[in-house]
Amino acid sequence: MENRLKEEARKLLKEGKVDYIVGYGKGTVKFRTSPLITNREDDLEGLVINPFIVNNLCRYTTEIKGKLGIVVKGCDSRSLVSLMQDNKVNRDEMVILGIPCEGVVDIKKLEEQIGADIDQVKEIDKEGDNLILQMDGSKKTVPFRDVIFDKCFGCEHPTPLEYDMLLGSEVSPRVQIEKSLKKIKEFEGINAPERWRYWKEQFSKCIRCYACRNVCPACFCERCFVDVNIPQWIATYGSWQDNLVFQLIRTLHVAGRCSDCGECERSCPVGIPLRSLQRKMVEEVKCLFNHETGVDKDASPVFTHYEATDPEEFIK
């Protein structure tokens, strides 16, 4: 699959069908990948496809000018469709290279499984349903699905829904929704005062770096409300109350656009479980409006229209 990606990407650039390729390259840290965005054929040899391609590359589609050849996994393709629905990207201005995805590895889970820091691992190969790890002369086998991100257990579309080229065989969904919603169910099981105390502790850790916002494809406003001075929505200095307000408004703002890619939580440097908020909103939107982000590119964004059958009188 990786070789075919390089070959197709090279062809797209050479034939002038795209101006840039947006894919995954080897990261500077072991077993991590980073976005590789290039218009040079020589750079394409650095493209990779492996179980560590976590980034949602759709974040860059609204920033790069020109025609793009972009690599997407299932959840990423739904983000891309959502951007099309909001008229933020033009489908005719991109060639979508689809990657069937069985899930991506959560390094923290992998470290817990092996009881060692990832730096002690020399090599990792995926063989069938297992990861084979080479470590200081010994070999360890870890079941792949024991170390994938929680979000991957809830994925109903592991094969991208929108693509021009699919670079592998379709993958059937292996949904284990109880695992995907485990943290949310735990929160729902505790009383309101304890839940409030928990989030107060979490948002007291926030350093207001905005990594959660900056990696999110659904956060595409030219000017974020937190950067507005008049009126000032939240104070410029960090407080847990304002950090909470920021996340609550952001959660409402991306409601109906979140594909549960989990990038907000993964990018948080202090480990706030932000996906729990976003995923809960995904569930609410699905329950209230029967809407699933990015599944139907011809559908209108959920909060930009109304249905004549809406039970609320004020909207008719």
Side-chain angles (χ1 to χ4, degrees), residues 56 62 101 108 120 179 218 267 304:
N56 187 338
T62 54
C101 175
K108 289 177 186 171
Q120 296 178 38
K179 284 190 175 182
S267 65
T304 63

Side-chain angles (χ1 to χ4, degrees), residues 205-214 243 246 267-270:
K205 298 189 296 184
C206 176
I207 57 174
R208 206 82 75 75
C209 67
Y210 298 124
C212 52
R213 176 193 68 181
N214 296 344
N243 296 338
F246 164 58
S267 65
C268 180
V270 293

Side-chain angles (χ1 to χ4, degrees), residues 56 59 210-218 261 263-264 266-267:
N56 187 338
R59 181 68 185 90
Y210 298 124
C212 52
R213 176 193 68 181
N214 296 344
V215 297
C216 178
C261 72
E263 282 293 89
C264 50
R266 188 187 67 82
S267 65

Side-chain angles (χ1 to χ4, degrees), residues 32-85:
R32 264 79 164 186
T33 59
S34 59
L36 192 161
I37 302 170
T38 184
N39 58 0
R40 290 160 41 91
E41 285 184 48
D42 291 347
D43 294 339
L44 299 178
E45 197 52 38
L47 287 170
V48 298
I49 298 176
N50 59 39
F52 303 98
I53 51 171
V54 291
N55 312 71
N56 187 338
L57 302 176
C58 300
R59 181 68 185 90
Y60 302 102
T61 56
T62 54
E63 298 176 357
I64 303 170
K65 304 300 179 191
K67 198 164 182 178
L68 305 182
I70 182 168
V71 178
V72 298
K73 307 183 296 293
C75 52
D76 309 336
S77 79
R78 291 173 52 216
S79 294
L80 200 52
V81 168
S82 180
L83 289 170
M84 291 174 199
Q85 291 172 320

Side-chain angles (χ1 to χ4, degrees), residues 7-255:
E7 182 187 327
E8 297 292 352
R10 200 168 284 120
K11 203 184 300 181
L12 288 171
L13 274 184
K14 188 176 283 185
E15 294 175 359
K17 292 183 178 175
V18 301
D19 299 307
Y20 290 92
I21 293 292
V22 182
Y24 299 94
K26 193 175 177 182
T28 53
V29 179
K30 200 157 58 168
F31 306 121
R32 264 79 164 186
T33 59
S34 59
L36 192 161
I37 302 170
T38 184
N39 58 0
R40 290 160 41 91
E41 285 184 48
D42 291 347
D43 294 339
L44 299 178
E45 197 52 38
L47 287 170
V48 298
I49 298 176
N50 59 39
F52 303 98
I53 51 171
V54 291
N55 312 71
N56 187 338
L57 302 176
C58 300
R59 181 68 185 90
Y60 302 102
T61 56
T62 54
E63 298 176 357
I64 303 170
K65 304 300 179 191
K67 198 164 182 178
L68 305 182
I70 182 168
V71 178
V72 298
K73 307 183 296 293
C75 52
D76 309 336
S77 79
R78 291 173 52 216
S79 294
L80 200 52
V81 168
S82 180
L83 289 170
M84 291 174 199
Q85 291 172 320
D86 280 313
N87 294 320
K88 291 299 171 185
V89 296
N90 184 346
R91 179 67 177 90
D92 296 333
E93 289 294 311
M94 59 181 64
V95 176
I96 303 173
L97 303 157
I99 305 288
C101 175
E102 296 178 337
V104 284
V105 172
D106 183 341
I107 297 283
K108 289 177 186 171
K109 283 188 182 179
L110 184 57
E111 288 180 327
E112 286 173 11
Q113 276 279 326
I114 61 176
D117 192 276
I118 195 69
D119 288 339
Q120 296 178 38
V121 181
K122 305 293 182 189
E123 292 291 337
I124 301 178
D125 292 307
K126 186 171 183 296
E127 295 182 7
D129 288 334
N130 294 315
L131 291 179
I132 310 299
L133 285 68
Q134 305 290 342
M135 307 177 58
D136 291 328
S138 64
K139 189 163 80 172
K140 281 195 176 183
T141 299
V142 176
F144 177 66
R145 286 184 69 81
D146 284 359
V147 293
I148 59 177
F149 280 93
D150 288 351
K151 61 166 185 171
C152 300
F153 291 111
C155 179
E156 297 179 24
H157 309 286
T159 301
L161 293 171
E162 183 76 13
Y163 59 81
D164 296 293
M165 280 179 244
L166 188 64
L167 303 176
S169 303
E170 290 191 10
V171 173
S172 300
R174 295 171 67 184
V175 178
Q176 292 175 279
I177 199 68
E178 71 286 353
K179 284 190 175 182
S180 181
L181 301 181
K182 186 180 173 191
K183 282 184 187 172
I184 295 168
K185 296 301 177 190
E186 286 173 356
F187 287 137
E188 289 175 345
I190 60 178
N191 60 42
E194 284 182 33
R195 213 181 301 167
W196 182 254
R197 192 159 43 247
Y198 175 83
W199 286 114
K200 179 181 177 182
E201 288 173 7
Q202 292 300 315
F203 287 114
S204 296
K205 298 189 296 184
C206 176
I207 57 174
R208 206 82 75 75
C209 67
Y210 298 124
C212 52
R213 176 193 68 181
N214 296 344
V215 297
C216 178
C219 271
F220 50 68
C221 290
E222 291 183 7
R223 193 176 186 193
C224 180
F225 75 95
V226 297
D227 299 326
V228 175
N229 295 324
I230 303 174
Q232 188 173 57
W233 293 85
I234 62 174
T236 52
Y237 59 89
S239 69
W240 75 267
Q241 294 94 336
D242 278 359
N243 296 338
L244 174 63
V245 168
F246 164 58
Q247 284 300 335
L248 291 180
I249 294 178
R250 203 183 83 79
T251 300
L252 289 168
H253 200 177
V254 302

